[in-house]
Amino acid sequence: MATLEYPAYLGHIREESRRFRDVLAGCDPAARVPACPEWDAADLVWHLAEVQWFWARTVRDRPAPPDDGPHPERPTTYDGLLAAFDAHSSSLVAELEAAGPDAPAWHWAPVQTVGTSYRRQAHEALIHRLDAEQTAGTVTPLDPALAGDGVLELLDVMYGGEPPAWGRFEPSAHHVRVDLTDLGTSIWAQPGLFVGTEPESGKVYDGPHVLVVGDPGTDPDAVVAGAAPDLDAWLWRRRDDTGIAITGDRAAYDGFRVAVDQPLD
């Protein structure tokens, strides 16, 4: 259900990663990251460096799943961290570009293609760019089209989506419409519960979940409305709900909110 063309995702990975790096290059390495207070700026650099290293390797080794091979060692200096980020970020873009979005590749998300990493890594870079700017105190606007796609990805993949074969979704009776007011589009969501036991680990799941659904042809039970950048940052727990309007049945909204109020790094 991606809403952007794949070359656009690749461009956003480049742009957001560059902004992330430029902001943190001039930041105190010990500055705390507001959304992830256990991290400082140096930890944030290394986090995205490791993420981009991992997905560059995964795309390069496609379609085999990642193995337990050695990970890169964390540099001991801030300059070393920035240099490592440069190398791993460049490698990610090169591997994605060389593979193309349609190539089969492992991913933890349901769609097993390189294109899933195009999209996921664009949003990874966007949100951590926001983390970097909040850390440095120099926040700039999010791209509305990318943020709008981020709202959809959050509801359809990160917090929800169709359950695997070993689980089931137990929907509530409520439908919530998310209005992206600056884009003139809406996303319909149905909160509920995901229940199941993962066969490999034996882990039992029984918790809030959400599905993106088609327009049911009825009035929504609740509406969450705001500009795409505000909604994306709010759903990622990177900002408060200032500027976001919530109307309708409170129980319907509460069911939606509990499904999308889970911690994400």
Side-chain angles (χ1 to χ4, degrees):
M1 296 180 68
T3 62
L4 302 180
E5 298 295 328
Y6 286 109
Y9 289 122
L10 200 59
H12 282 301
I13 294 171
R14 290 191 180 99
E15 293 163 11
E16 301 299 341
S17 296
R18 185 182 305 116
R19 174 64 179 166
F20 170 89
R21 199 265 192 216
D22 289 348
V23 169
L24 290 179
C27 188
D28 177 357
R32 308 313 296 181
V33 181
C36 307
E38 71 278 13
W39 290 353
D40 58 23
D43 296 326
L44 181 59
V45 174
W46 187 236
H47 171 74
L48 189 55
E50 276 200 303
V51 167
Q52 295 192 340
W53 167 84
F54 176 86
W55 289 104
R57 185 189 69 164
T58 300
V59 171
R60 183 170 57 250
D61 294 346
R62 67 186 187 280
D67 58 30
D68 294 327
H71 284 227
E73 288 190 15
R74 175 172 171 159
T76 57
T77 67
Y78 199 56
D79 285 344
L81 287 167
L82 292 168
F85 175 78
D86 291 341
H88 297 319
S89 190
S90 176
S91 178
L92 173 66
V93 170
E95 295 294 346
L96 290 171
E97 196 166 31
D102 297 326
W106 178 89
H107 203 282
W108 55 261
V111 180
Q112 303 279 297
T113 65
V114 173
T116 300
S117 289
Y118 271 64
R119 186 190 196 196
R120 177 83 288 283
Q121 291 312 302
H123 293 300
E124 186 83 8
L126 175 69
I127 291 305
H128 288 315
R129 182 266 277 183
L130 179 56
D131 283 335
E133 292 183 335
Q134 289 178 341
T135 301
T138 56
V139 175
T140 61
L142 306 186
D143 178 84
L146 182 61
D149 185 74
V151 173
L152 178 59
E153 192 217 26
L154 278 159
L155 298 180
D156 195 40
V157 179
M158 303 300 288
Y159 289 128
E162 291 292 340
W166 48 265
R168 69 184 187 276
F169 177 65
E170 298 180 354
S172 71
H174 298 134
H175 288 89
V176 176
R177 195 183 71 211
V178 180
D179 291 343
L180 287 70
T181 55
D182 53 336
L183 301 181
T185 61
S186 298
I187 302 167
W188 286 82
Q190 187 171 25
L193 292 175
F194 170 68
V195 179
T197 301
E198 189 175 32
E200 291 184 5
S201 66
K203 184 176 180 180
V204 177
Y205 291 85
D206 182 9
H209 196 74
V210 64
L211 280 187
V212 171
V213 297
D215 184 339
T218 61
D219 290 336
D221 297 291
V223 175
V224 178
D230 293 340
L231 288 167
D232 196 28
W234 172 66
L235 288 168
W236 272 101
R237 298 162 61 126
R238 263 56 183 186
R239 54 151 292 171
D240 62 22
D241 61 358
T242 301
I244 295 170
I246 299 160
T247 56
D249 186 294
R250 189 70 196 188
Y253 169 73
D254 288 345
F256 171 82
R257 184 59 181 152
V258 73
V260 299
D261 195 24
Q262 310 299 319
L264 294 172
D265 289 339

